[in-house]
Amino acid sequence: MRLVGPNGEQVGIVRVEDALRLAAEADLDLVEVAPMAKPPVAKLMDFGKFKYEAAMKAREARKNQVNTVIKEIKLRPKIDPHDYGTKKGHVERFLKGGDKVKVTIMFRGREQSRPELGFRLLQRLAEDIVELGTVESAPKQDGRNMVMVIAPTKKKAQAMAEQRRRRDDSAAAAHHEVAAGAEDEAVPTVETAPTVPTAETAPTVETAPTAETAPTVETAPTVEAAPAADVAPSPTPTPSPRPAPTPRPSAGA
């Protein structure tokens, strides 16, 4: 068989026994990649890693696979301006998403005799969304309806990639705003907000003197100012004698 090395190098044509021996020495698997070739081609590889990479490639291919979707919007020939703006917004949203849009004008009663109303309405819509899509199928009458198909200017894969990028950007911006708000609301530490000064920086004893600076006993003496021995006693007043009562004359005299 023709043997291919793990890095894609050509080893040459070897016997099966020699290929198995080389695989065992390299701690790899011997995988036959082209059994219909002459001679058959085998490769030295890690078969588990090979299957994992193949599955990842298939998954990525399915993710990038584009499914064509046609959205439909229905209008009336005499549609209200407000309703027209709403319908046009839906068409723009579909085109931005990379989908085709089928616009249908529905005629009722005598409106079928005036198809030019629907034609002018479709032309107006095509002019309003010219930056997002182009007319793929021109307006044509289909029974009571008039149909026009608009294709997006951007492909489906490109539109999906742009949507994913916008979502990632918005998520990163929201994360940045949350982180910035958390930093603003953080409480300052001791180094940024110093505490109250201690006794060394704000002394209290020296600025408010005690009894040594404001004595009270020496400034207000009481005992030495009024001695009691030098004061003369006041004379005691002598009571005057009361006069003797005068005798009254008796009744017989």
Side-chain angles (χ1 to χ4, degrees):
M1 65 172 57
R2 187 180 300 277
L3 183 62
V4 180
N7 297 324
E9 66 276 10
Q10 294 290 334
V11 178
I13 298 176
V14 298
R15 296 185 303 173
V16 177
E17 295 79 4
D18 296 335
L20 292 173
R21 179 178 54 81
L22 292 175
E25 292 176 355
D27 195 15
L28 296 173
D29 300 317
L30 181 63
V31 181
E32 191 176 21
V33 294
M36 302 304 295
K38 293 183 179 181
V41 181
K43 184 178 181 180
L44 298 176
M45 66 174 68
D46 187 348
F47 189 62
K49 182 179 179 180
F50 172 76
K51 290 196 301 182
Y52 173 76
E53 291 178 351
M56 291 300 295
K57 289 180 180 179
R59 180 181 178 184
E60 192 68 22
R62 288 193 302 269
K63 183 187 298 184
N64 296 330
Q65 185 177 3
V66 178
N67 296 324
T68 303
V69 179
I70 298 179
K71 306 290 185 177
E72 185 176 5
I73 292 293
K74 295 183 179 181
L75 306 176
R76 293 295 307 279
K78 298 179 181 180
I79 188 172
D80 184 78
H82 177 73
D83 294 339
Y84 173 78
T86 303
K87 298 287 187 178
K88 185 184 71 172
H90 293 332
V91 173
E92 292 176 349
R93 178 166 53 87
F94 294 149
L95 294 176
K96 288 180 181 179
D99 298 324
K100 293 182 179 181
V101 182
K102 177 182 178 182
V103 185
T104 303
I105 303 295
M106 299 181 299
F107 296 97
R108 292 181 181 177
R110 296 182 179 180
E111 293 176 350
Q112 299 182 32
S113 61
R114 301 190 62 185
E116 67 275 4
L117 296 178
F119 184 78
R120 284 199 296 265
L121 182 60
L122 292 178
Q123 281 187 334
R124 175 187 173 188
L125 180 62
E127 293 175 357
D128 292 341
I129 49 89
V130 66
E131 297 181 356
L132 300 176
T134 57
V135 177
E136 184 179 73
S137 177
K140 62 180 180 179
Q141 192 76 21
D142 184 12
R144 294 185 178 181
N145 301 328
M146 182 174 289
V147 180
M148 180 181 69
V149 178
I150 303 174
T153 55
K154 296 181 181 180
K155 295 183 178 180
K156 182 74 173 181
Q158 184 179 359
M160 293 175 61
E162 291 182 356
Q163 290 179 359
R164 287 196 297 267
R165 184 168 59 253
R166 284 195 296 267
R167 287 196 299 266
D168 296 341
D169 294 342
S170 60
H175 179 72
H176 180 70
E177 291 179 359
V178 171
E183 292 179 358
D184 294 339
E185 296 177 359
V187 179
T189 58
V190 178
E191 297 180 358
T192 58
T195 56
V196 180
T198 58
E200 297 180 357
T201 58
T204 56
V205 177
E206 296 180 0
T207 57
T210 57
E212 296 180 0
T213 59
T216 57
V217 178
E218 297 179 359
T219 57
T222 56
V223 179
E224 298 179 359
D230 297 339
V231 178
S234 59
T236 304
T238 303
S240 59
R242 301 177 62 180
T246 304
R248 296 180 178 182
S250 62

